[in-house]
Amino acid sequence: MSISTSINQIWQDNEVCFDISKSALQLFPGEIIFDHFNNIEDIKGSKGESGTLSITNLRIIWFSEKNIRRNISIGQNCIFAVTSRSAQSKLMGITQSLYLFAAYHQTRYEFIFTYPQKPELGRLFITVKSVHKAYSTSRMYREIKIRGAVLNGTELDLLPEEEIKQKINGVCNLSNNIGNIGIMYITNIRCVWHAINNENFNVSIPYIQISEVKLKNTQYGNALVLQTFSKTGGYLLGFRIDPLDLLKKTAKEIKSYWRIANQKPNFGILSLSLEGKEELANAETPKTPGPEYTKPKPAIFVLPEVESQNIIINDDFEMDFNLKDGTFSDKSSGENRSKGDCYVEMSKSLNVNDNCIGWDPDLGLAIEKLSEGKTAFGLWKLI
Amino acid sequence: MFRLNKFWQQPLPNSDDDEDKKFINNFYLNGGMILAELVENEPLSIITGCFEGILRIYCPHGHEFVPHDLQLEKKLEQPILNLGFSDFLNTNEKVLAILHPDELCYYSVIVTEGLDIHGLQFDIKKISSVILPSKAISFFYDNFFNCEKALICIQLFNGNIIFIDGNEIYFEKNLPNALMYYPIKYIAYNDAFLINTLSFQLMCLKFVSVTEEKQQKQKTQKYVSSYKQSTLEPQVLWTCLIGEHISDICASKKYEKNQEGPKLIALGSTSLFFISHKGELLSSLKLDSTPTNFYLYPVYKDDQLLRENLIVVTASNHLLIYSSHKLVWTAKLEKKIVNIAVAKINNIPGMIITLNINGQVEVCYLGTNIYTTPIQQIEINKDYKEMENEMRDLKELIERYTKNEYEKKEKSVISVRVNVPTTLNNSKSNIPDDSISPSYTVEFEIKNSVNFSILNIKLLVSPAEPIIATKPCQIIETLSNGTTIVPVVFYVKDYIPCNLDCQASLMYSLPNSDEIQTVNCSFKFPIIICGELVSPSKENKYKLTIETNLPAVLLSDIYKDICPTEGVIPKYMNKNIVGFKYWNKMNATINGSTRRGRYRISSNYLEAIYLLLIDLKKRIEKISSNYITEDLVISYQESFEFNDYIPYFDDIIEKQIKFNALSDTLINKTLQYKVIQKKLLLHYKDKIPVSLVGLRNLLDRTYASIHTISGDIINLKKESKKSNYNFILITHMLLELWSLKDFARKHKEHFDMLYESFSQELLLISNNSNDLIYLQTIINIINIMLKKDKEKVTDANKKTLLIENLKLLNKYMNEKAFLFNENDE
């Protein structure tokens, strides 16, 4: 089996998707559902329709109980605010609701979910908030970091549940003309290299971000090359290890950890239950960097409602503003999905590229480019 | 208000504590972020430091964060209070100065180029440090004392400021009249410092040597060294009273015409102040919200300084941009920010860089979209059926509750019983002057059924005017277990009452409880409160007869309880005729048939009939069970002359018109009075006095006429009140008579509605209240009853329309009376 073909970059936590296919709703390896809630109404998109909300370590999924094609997948990385407010629901009247604000592709979305039972809503709110918090404080598990503070003194600052599998001295980073000599750590989660003479020159690459591991003959001789996904920079990192045997052995080792990590990735948000949190609070454990985790629990369930439901045929597919384009592409491309206009918080989405930012001579500031003949001053006068 | 669009955003720094509980950055000192060109001719880097001691250097490469945007992240051992990047040590080399609470450290930044963009190496190396004598708050740096390299001035927690030159401490000084922390600014123009003092003053200080006077001549390194030896003392150049606490000061670099020194801008707690370099307050600008930060940035055009604009950030998260005192843009910020700067980022000039309270750096540009808070959708499609069900449920609930409440009242510890006597008081004492009747006493029997005493029980009685209680509120101080009798005296004022109902309520609270309990009761006064039985009179202009299915019942039986002398039936009653005299001397006669249960009430005054009519009706109802077994039927089969009714209505309208005319005249006269008064006052000031006798006479006469008109108005008001009561009596009588008609019985539902529509409020027409809606209801009901088309009621035609409709209804009633057996349809 060729590994490189079977490895897909996780998109679940980085995208906001609407009405995705059933296969895209399936959990990614290593994705764990922390909790799920039935009878949740999505006020903005499908008013009056009862659905299920699942909170996983990568995203928040809502799908209609009637029609699984009507669903939302909100990546944890896109969420920037979680609040609870009161909202008007068709099923329950005015109730307390969960508000999620997300940004994706320069568009801001607002999601409102309501829940019939108040105490349960508290649980829902706390779960969403704490999972999101755990996600945002465990980026080192999932993101490449260059020139970060990864060392504690001279030793690698280990993440919770991380173990150093191998420490190799004299690894030369080829990204520099000088060829910096440094130390490479191979752990169960990532590869870390840092220069000996400058510990601030370092790189930490979680296996889930590596798209390819290979040996390559470069102008500096045989080198280990780690290629990362283009979405996160697309770096090509070359390391020279002498002698050749050690290089081959290291490459093999990294490859196998990479394979394991891709089959069962550790996203850093293992499991947190409300009970666990309370226990921790009572125990007053000394503070350690990173979120505090309880022992990982087995995944609670794998979307039982989805599994038990018959495959949805397009017959009972209702036309809705939510589903207006009606096209459903398969999973990962993530391009042809419904735009989710009803959730958009702003009237117009912003497509930022450098061309649409201009400089206003009156204000002396950068401003979104206006159409010909209009000035910022004129716009201000309008208001 | 516009949006601020995000261009680039640092990922939220890791933090395992609750963000809202602590500040990651020094939010009131503008600290924690600087922009610096670390490598010459390279893009600007954003350097941030936070209380957690992490130094981060960013250089955005595009509009999305990529890992190589981070150039350096290093955890230092101490919290970072402030950052600086300048030539602190040598004149040619710029170093990074980091202020820790106890130490000032200098770092050199080492950059090694790489093959790839991620191969770029960054490192900072500590060069040296200066131990501070006290804990530091913040620092600022500039070429103080016209020095060639930058000096650092640190504010300490002991209130002093300390000047540091490279690795040496110059001197420490306590500034006069200064706060522990105060904004301090250096003006290069005259080598002076600006501080904010305790007394809300802006003070300009200059450090001068006490010993050496020839400083001005020297401007070299020697000069600086001379400072080290000599003692420098601050000298106040000027002070300017601002009256507000100043949080920041800046000096403008752009000089206008005829301007010798820089213009100073101070940020107060609510306003912006513009001050000249000599300390004169030039102008101020009031802001809507408390400003927190400001930033003055230059606007260049072809490398020429065009102007300087000011960004003000307020506590309400608004970003205001001022260009020469004028607000030119507003944008909404999403988070509270602690530091703001404007710079060229990613080759785009004029980008706004903010550091927010969570320690996150954002690069923004102005958006042209209007900032709107998300509006919640309002449900419009209502399910009316569901609503009705809900309404029914609610009604049921309310009913059940009120029932419970009623039961609760039954259990009330205090109960009240009313003894309504049938005779008036014999003694004529204690009657107020305005009474036309003898006094009448009602006894309230208040019973306490619990073992403890209840204090301060309030008894409130509210009879309808003109029946007056001498003491409408009485307080029973203590009531122990048992019964107490409280007499309340009533009397009648000038005219005939139209309502004999009286409400009474008891208010009390149980010991150790603040909750006020109430017991309500109502009773009706007997007819004798408004008059007495007398011998019948003969002048009877108006007559009306009511028929009953009773056998002939003698009036002596009906009225035996209210005979002038109790138990003794007067002689005239034997002839089945009796007179009734109201206290206002109006007479009426009641005549009974000796063969059938038919009674006639007659009087010279139409308004005198109503009370007798309802009283008689009540009495007949009461005694009917003694004579017949079947249901009692009382009917009125004559026709009522509606023309009798109209004068009463006209009377009111007339009086109202008169009243309006009088009040108009009064207003005019008052105006005239005021004008004359003003004129008189003006003329008194004249240099050549004119005879003012005519004017004075006019003033006197106007005054007198105002008096007369006021008197007239008061009298008219009294009269119209009387007319009003008469009108109410008549209307009620009309309604009462109608209710005895078959037509009304047939349309009972509508008629009841009509009856209810004639509320007290409506009938007091002179109140000029918003009665259109009531009248509209009445007219509509009549239209429905008479199966007429709906008429449009306006303010102009409402009264005529009402009268016409009533007249028509009356006609209908009368006609129907004749066509007794005819079907309505």
Side-chain angles (χ1 to χ4, degrees), chain B residues 336-352:
Chain B
K336 207 178 182 68
I337 65 163
V338 296
N339 205 337
I340 190 160
V342 173
K344 184 175 178 177
I345 297 283
N346 208 26
N347 271 327
I348 306 167
M351 289 295 233
I352 301 166

Side-chain angles (χ1 to χ4, degrees), chain B residues 20 157 162 224 368 426 511 793:
Chain B
D20 18 38
F157 257 104
I162 185 166
V224 172
T368 50
N426 291 327
V793 187

Side-chain angles (χ1 to χ4, degrees), chain A residues 108 147 175 180 200 235 363 366, chain B residues 68 120-121 123 297 334 350:
Chain A
R108 289 162 56 115
R147 298 182 284 252
S175 64
N180 287 77
N200 290 315
Y235 301 111
L363 295 171
Chain B
H68 63 254
L120 201 68
Q121 280 186 49
D123 196 11
Y297 65 94
E334 269 162 21

Side-chain angles (χ1 to χ4, degrees), chain A residues 168-175 178-182 184 193 215-225 237-244 246-247 250:
Chain A
I168 309 157
N169 287 313
V171 179
C172 206
N173 186 334
L174 301 178
S175 64
I178 315 153
N180 287 77
I181 292 182
M184 179 177 265
W193 176 88
L215 289 174
K216 201 176 166 187
N217 200 351
T218 63
Q219 51 174 319
Y220 305 101
N222 279 322
L224 168 75
V225 174
L237 298 151
F239 299 98
R240 211 183 65 187
I241 304 166
D242 286 326
L244 191 65
L246 184 63
L247 174 70
T250 312

Side-chain angles (χ1 to χ4, degrees), chain A residues 43-44 47 80 85-90 99 101 106 108 110 112 133 136-140 143-150 174-178 180 195 197-201 219-220 231-233 235-237 287-291 342 345-348 350-354 356-370 376-377 379-380 383, chain B residues 1-3 5-7 11-19 54 56 62-64 66-75 112-125 297-301 306-307 309 311 319 321 323 326-330 334-335 342 346 348-352 364-370 372-374 376-379 381:
Chain A
I43 286 196
K44 280 200 131 175
K47 231 173 188 184
F80 63 89
R85 275 187 232 159
S86 62
Q88 177 94 24
S89 149
K90 206 161 190 172
Y99 274 66
F101 295 94
Q106 302 293 330
R108 289 162 56 115
E110 182 197 50
I112 312 169
K133 200 176 169 109
S136 52
T137 52
S138 58
R139 293 180 187 275
M140 284 296 263
E143 288 176 12
I144 298 176
K145 189 134 197 187
I146 298 169
R147 298 182 284 252
V150 292
L174 301 178
S175 64
N176 204 300
N177 275 329
I178 315 153
N180 287 77
N197 58 356
N198 178 7
E199 61 190 45
N200 290 315
F201 186 49
Q219 51 174 319
Y220 305 101
K231 256 192 184 170
T232 47
Y235 301 111
L236 196 71
L237 298 151
K287 278 176 189 168
T288 50
C342 53
E345 206 196 320
M346 282 170 52
S347 54
K348 202 174 94 192
L350 294 161
N351 291 318
V352 179
N353 51 50
D354 299 358
C356 70
I357 306 172
W359 185 76
D360 186 86
D362 291 326
L363 295 171
L365 292 173
I367 187 166
E368 202 180 322
K369 259 193 189 152
L370 296 157
F377 188 62
L379 191 65
W380 174 249
I383 295 185
Chain B
M1 196 161 37
F2 293 97
R3 270 175 188 274
N5 291 346
K6 258 175 220 135
F7 176 76
L12 201 67
N14 292 358
S15 120
D16 44 345
D17 280 296
D18 262 335
E19 297 112 35
I54 303 171
R56 292 188 178 96
H63 60 80
E64 227 159 275
V66 281
H68 63 254
D69 284 347
L70 177 69
Q71 292 183 320
L72 181 74
E73 186 182 59
K74 189 165 187 170
K75 194 164 164 52
T112 318
E113 293 283 332
L115 279 179
D116 209 337
I117 194 138
H118 62 264
L120 201 68
Q121 280 186 49
F122 268 84
D123 196 11
I124 53 165
K125 277 235 154 62
Y297 65 94
V299 181
Y300 290 99
K301 195 179 182 184
L306 200 65
R307 69 174 83 81
N309 284 358
I311 294 185
L319 189 129
I321 298 166
S323 178
K326 230 167 79 187
L327 184 68
V328 291
W329 200 266
T330 315
E334 269 162 21
K335 280 184 187 137
V342 173
N346 208 26
I348 306 167
M351 289 295 233
I352 301 166
C364 309
Y365 61 96
L366 301 176
T368 50
N369 285 47
I370 302 286
T372 46
T373 41
Q376 218 178 308
Q377 286 173 1
I378 298 163
E379 185 69 54
N381 309 322

